[in-house]
Amino acid sequence: MSGKKVIRDKRTVAQKRKDEKRGWVVDETPELRRSVEQEIQGKVDTNHPDSCRSSMTLAQEEEAMARDIEIARTRARVGEQIETREAGSRQAVQEARQQARKRFDERAASVDRWQDPVKDDPRELLSQSELATVNRQAARLAKQLDGWTRAAIGRRLAERVADGRGMTDAVVDVYDELDQAAGTVIPIAKVGEVNRGEVSVEGRVEQLWDPSSPKIQNVGLLEDESGRTRVTIWKASEAPWIEEGDKVRIHGASVSWYEGRASLAVTGWSSIHFPERGRWWE
């Protein structure tokens, strides 16, 4: 062990020299240092506007206030310019969409003259008796075609009548067209007759069985008054789970074929709705 003694008392310069000659080590007064929290608070206090301006002259304070006002005006002016550009962009996009739609209608008019945007309404070309018959048939078809309004059906009937088709043929053509249109709920028995890859159906889940693959969420039979078909719900579709006895409406189901039979698959582009769920009065 060292024989040196540590003295922590404060001494005069002469006393310190005398102690050093004797071989004693004198510990100087420890240096006081600020903590991290004190340094941070000091910087905050130093940079605070009120702290800075307290040491300013009147001219410096007026200059700082003028600078703050100019900054606020610049920010407001920039904000107005951004809002003006956004409004102009929205208007330009809307005008571009209108022009694109007009060009599309003009091209479509080369195939179907009633797609011409400047063409008169075909119902204006019919006699009163023809128009009355069209309205009656449109009301009747509207009850059979889910998702189609009477006005939309009436216009299509009027187009065919104005082209010289008989009323019976016009009704059959319009029904076949709208009954198999994309998004229209069709009977399950007609799934294999539709000439497209996706359909919308509604029915009741008759039976479910264990999936043959871990990638399948549900698989079973869907049935309505016209028939039944197999439905596969893939886990990747993130569709809700179905149970036996549920009445479901599936939009955008993919049509596939297996051993000559049409079946449905629910993918990420499909949606499932439950018309009877939440009906507390039943």
Side-chain angles (χ1 to χ4, degrees):
M1 177 181 291
S2 175
K4 297 181 180 180
K5 298 181 181 179
V6 178
I7 299 177
R8 298 182 180 279
D9 296 335
K10 295 182 179 180
R11 298 174 182 274
T12 62
V13 176
Q15 290 174 336
K16 290 181 180 180
R17 292 177 179 175
K18 186 183 294 184
D19 292 337
E20 290 176 355
K21 290 180 179 180
R22 295 177 180 176
W24 294 349
V25 178
V26 179
D27 186 15
E28 300 291 345
T29 303
E31 182 181 358
L32 298 179
R33 296 183 179 181
R34 294 175 295 179
S35 64
V36 177
E37 292 79 4
Q38 290 175 331
E39 290 184 357
I40 295 175
Q41 187 61 42
K43 291 180 180 180
V44 172
D45 295 339
T46 301
N47 296 325
H48 194 275
D50 294 339
S51 175
C52 295
R53 293 183 182 180
S54 61
S55 59
M56 290 182 180
T57 63
L58 181 59
Q60 292 175 337
E61 186 173 355
E62 291 178 350
E63 183 180 354
M65 293 176 61
R67 184 167 57 250
D68 293 342
I69 294 174
E70 184 62 26
I71 292 174
R73 289 178 178 176
T74 302
R75 289 178 177 175
R77 185 166 56 251
V78 170
E80 292 177 356
Q81 293 175 353
I82 293 176
E83 292 180 359
T84 302
R85 287 198 299 268
E86 290 178 349
S89 299
R90 287 194 296 269
Q91 184 177 358
V93 170
Q94 185 176 3
E95 292 177 353
R97 288 178 177 175
Q98 292 175 353
Q99 292 295 330
R101 181 62 187 180
K102 183 178 179 181
R103 289 193 298 270
F104 175 81
D105 291 340
E106 290 175 350
R107 290 195 301 268
S110 62
V111 179
D112 183 0
R113 68 189 184 104
W114 299 111
Q115 295 294 329
D116 192 339
V118 298
K119 196 73 175 180
D120 294 334
D121 192 319
R123 286 167 289 196
E124 298 178 357
L125 306 178
L126 303 182
S127 63
Q128 292 184 354
S129 61
E130 289 175 334
L131 183 59
T133 304
V134 165
N135 290 335
R136 286 196 302 269
Q137 295 297 332
R140 183 175 64 85
L141 292 179
K143 298 178 181 179
Q144 303 176 17
L145 298 172
D146 186 24
W148 292 94
T149 64
R150 175 180 172 181
I153 297 173
R155 180 180 176 88
R156 282 170 169 77
L157 285 174
E159 291 174 359
R160 285 160 175 77
V161 173
D163 287 337
R165 300 293 298 275
M167 184 62 64
T168 302
D169 293 339
V171 171
V172 173
D173 289 346
V174 171
Y175 179 82
D176 290 342
E177 175 191 354
L178 302 185
D179 184 46
Q180 298 186 5
T184 301
V185 176
I186 66 173
I188 291 178
K190 292 187 176 182
V191 169
E193 301 175 5
V194 177
N195 188 22
R196 62 176 183 274
E198 295 183 352
V199 296
S200 299
V201 297
E202 180 176 304
R204 194 169 298 276
V205 181
E206 180 186 1
Q207 182 182 1
L208 294 174
W209 53 79
D210 295 333
S212 59
S213 170
K215 296 182 179 181
I216 297 177
Q217 175 176 300
N218 289 114
V219 59
L221 293 177
L222 184 66
E223 183 181 31
D224 66 1
E225 297 177 353
S226 66
R228 64 173 61 174
T229 187
R230 171 175 171 154
V231 176
T232 302
I233 302 177
W234 297 94
K235 287 185 178 180
S237 67
E238 298 183 353
W241 286 78
I242 61 175
E243 300 176 359
E244 291 185 356
D246 281 343
K247 185 176 183 180
V248 297
R249 182 182 298 119
I250 305 176
H251 291 279
S254 178
V255 180
S256 58
W257 292 85
Y258 179 73
E259 295 182 352
R261 295 183 179 181
S263 62
L264 301 176
V266 175
T267 66
W269 302 99
S270 310
S271 61
I272 300 179
H273 305 276
F274 300 85
E276 294 180 350
R277 284 190 181 179
R279 298 171 66 175
W280 54 267
W281 58 88
E282 294 185 353

